[in-house]
Amino acid sequence: MPQHTLQQLHRLRLTGMADALSRQLDQPGTYEELGFLERLKLLINSEATCRDNRKITRLLKQAKLRLNAQAADIDYRARRGLHKDTLAQLLQLDWIRHHRNLLIEGPTGTGKTFLACALGQSACEHGISVRYFRASRLFEMLTIAHGDGSFGKLLAQLAKTELGKLCITPVI
């Protein structure tokens, strides 16, 4: 009977729930004192967590971030005018929800790419779609698309992304 239930869960693409049920079946003593609704809640929470993790993985893959950068790894000691409170405010991602732009500029080697990737990573972890471009590459893509007639299609594709133009440009 449990094997049939596990197969049905997999067929319904409820893999998180199936994995959690498997764990419950493998450790019967741990879950015996829980009632039906409590065990069901654990199964549902496991499925929700599994789906959230798959979404974040998909968003990170689609983002094509250049670096695996974490906001916690940002070095504020370097002299580049980066303030911890300003970055904390940016990491709340309200600027994305309010459809505002963010331009990161500065001399070569000051961490613009790392900062952009950290913001993009954070956005993906919050379920916001991201696409990373260097400004020069984005402009090149737009020029080529304009020339070959696919400009509208490219703009439509970019419009589907919530943080669609994460651009980095060095100041010369």
Side-chain angles (χ1 to χ4, degrees):
M1 171 105 160
Q3 199 60 28
H4 178 69
T5 303
L6 288 171
Q7 288 173 351
Q8 283 182 315
L9 288 172
H10 281 291
R11 192 169 54 247
L12 292 170
R13 294 189 175 124
L14 298 171
T15 55
M17 198 176 276
D19 292 343
L21 180 59
S22 248
R23 282 192 302 276
Q24 286 187 14
L25 293 171
D26 289 344
Q27 302 170 0
T30 308
Y31 298 98
E32 276 180 354
E33 67 270 359
L34 298 178
F36 172 77
L37 288 177
E38 291 170 317
R39 288 182 73 175
L40 180 61
K41 182 180 176 182
L42 289 174
L43 295 174
I44 292 170
N45 286 342
S46 182
E47 180 64 31
T49 300
C50 184
R51 287 179 184 221
D52 288 344
N53 289 340
R54 279 196 308 257
K55 181 179 181 180
I56 291 169
T57 301
R58 179 181 47 80
L59 288 172
L60 286 169
K61 184 177 179 182
Q62 288 174 345
K64 298 182 181 180
L65 297 174
R66 193 162 168 212
L67 301 172
N68 182 12
Q70 302 292 326
D73 296 335
I74 294 172
D75 182 10
Y76 295 96
R77 294 173 296 172
R79 291 186 177 195
R80 52 186 168 181
L82 190 59
H83 301 285
K84 203 171 198 173
D85 55 337
T86 302
L87 191 61
Q89 188 176 12
L90 289 172
L91 287 167
Q92 291 177 5
L93 307 174
D94 289 334
W95 59 280
I96 298 172
R97 292 181 193 95
H98 291 105
H99 307 287
R100 299 230 168 88
N101 297 314
L102 176 66
L103 178 63
I104 301 172
E105 62 178 16
T108 301
T110 56
K112 298 178 300 294
T113 298
F114 189 88
L115 183 58
C117 289
L119 288 167
Q121 175 98 13
S122 179
C124 288
E125 290 169 357
H126 285 87
I128 297 172
S129 57
V130 174
R131 185 69 199 274
Y132 173 90
F133 296 99
R134 290 186 61 82
S136 58
R137 177 67 181 130
L138 178 61
F139 298 146
E140 179 185 324
M141 285 173 53
L142 291 169
T143 302
I144 291 170
H146 194 304
D148 69 11
S150 62
F151 189 71
K153 182 180 176 182
L154 178 59
L155 288 181
Q157 182 184 13
L158 291 173
K160 290 179 185 177
T161 307
E162 292 168 271
L163 180 55
K165 294 170 282 301
L166 188 56
C167 298
I168 313 296
T169 183
V171 173
I172 300 173

